[in-house]
């Protein structure tokens, strides 16, 4: 993944923390994702896992990704989440999300940018009011 996209993910993450105090991270399942001794559930293996970070937590996001001790149930686990495996950073409170899908990957229900642009153009085209700004001559 392009380093600039990794930096953008990190920037969005910290901005959301600054604005609302917490940020959600959708992590794609991978053998590179370490959640301590906690295994992924079958649903998480299929859809990924959402991790919640708040501004009071002790974590670090460096060039590789996020390193933190997260608590699952009552058990603290040493976690390492590579930035490449972070698919989305979002905040329900801010009503904002930043999504980066792996190249060539299509998620069910997620439209490609081409589909979004085509649908937006079609929707706009149906609502455009044509105005003739030429001056009419008085007769």
């Amino acid at each position: 993944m392009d380093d600039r996209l990794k930096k953008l993910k990190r920037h969005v993450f910290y901005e959301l923390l600054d604005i609302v105090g917490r940020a959600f991270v959708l992590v794609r399942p991978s053998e590179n994702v370490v959640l301590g001794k906690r295994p992924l559930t079958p649903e998480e293996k299929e859809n990924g896992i959402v991790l919640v970070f708040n501004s009071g937590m002790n974590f670090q996001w460096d060039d590789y990704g996020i390193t933190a001790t997260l608590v699952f149930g009552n058990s603290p686990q040493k976690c390492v989440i590579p930035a490449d495996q972070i698919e989305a950073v979002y905040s329900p409170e801010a009503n904002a999300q930043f999504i980066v899908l792996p190249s060539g990957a299509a998620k069910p229900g997620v439209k490609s940018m081409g589909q979004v642009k085509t649908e937006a153009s079609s929707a706009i085209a149906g609502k455009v009011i044509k105005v003739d700004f030429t001056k009419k001559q008085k007769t």
Side-chain angles (χ1 to χ4, degrees):
M1 173 180 290
D2 188 333
D3 283 342
R4 294 174 297 175
L5 279 177
K6 289 180 186 180
K7 288 177 182 177
L8 182 56
K9 275 186 220 181
R10 180 172 46 190
H11 179 75
V12 170
F13 175 84
Y14 281 110
E15 286 296 316
L16 290 173
L17 277 178
D18 188 46
I19 293 168
V20 296
R22 71 179 182 162
F24 292 68
V25 175
L26 174 60
V27 181
R28 182 176 36 255
S30 164
E31 68 257 0
N32 297 331
V33 174
V34 177
L35 300 176
K37 295 178 183 174
R38 179 194 184 277
L40 293 176
T41 66
E43 182 180 338
E44 292 166 348
K45 286 178 183 176
E46 180 72 25
N47 301 316
I49 184 170
V50 175
L51 302 174
V52 183
F53 293 86
N54 66 54
S55 51
M57 294 172 68
N58 186 17
F59 60 86
Q60 178 183 359
W61 190 326
D62 58 20
D63 290 339
Y64 181 75
I66 301 173
T67 304
T69 299
L70 302 176
V71 178
F72 298 96
N74 292 330
S75 177
Q77 302 288 335
K78 180 75 172 174
C79 302
V80 179
I81 300 101
D84 288 342
Q85 300 310 120
I86 296 173
E87 202 166 83
V89 177
Y90 65 98
S91 168
E93 294 89 354
N95 199 23
Q97 61 183 352
F98 178 72
I99 301 171
V100 178
L101 297 176
S103 57
K107 290 280 254 185
V110 176
K111 297 176 182 174
S112 72
M113 285 309 293
Q115 289 172 309
V116 170
K117 287 178 184 175
T118 301
E119 289 178 9
S121 296
S122 297
I124 291 169
K127 296 179 182 180
V128 172
I129 299 171
K130 293 184 181 181
V131 178
D132 183 3
F133 288 104
T134 59
K135 288 186 177 181
K136 291 188 178 183
Q137 294 185 6
K138 293 184 182 182
T139 54

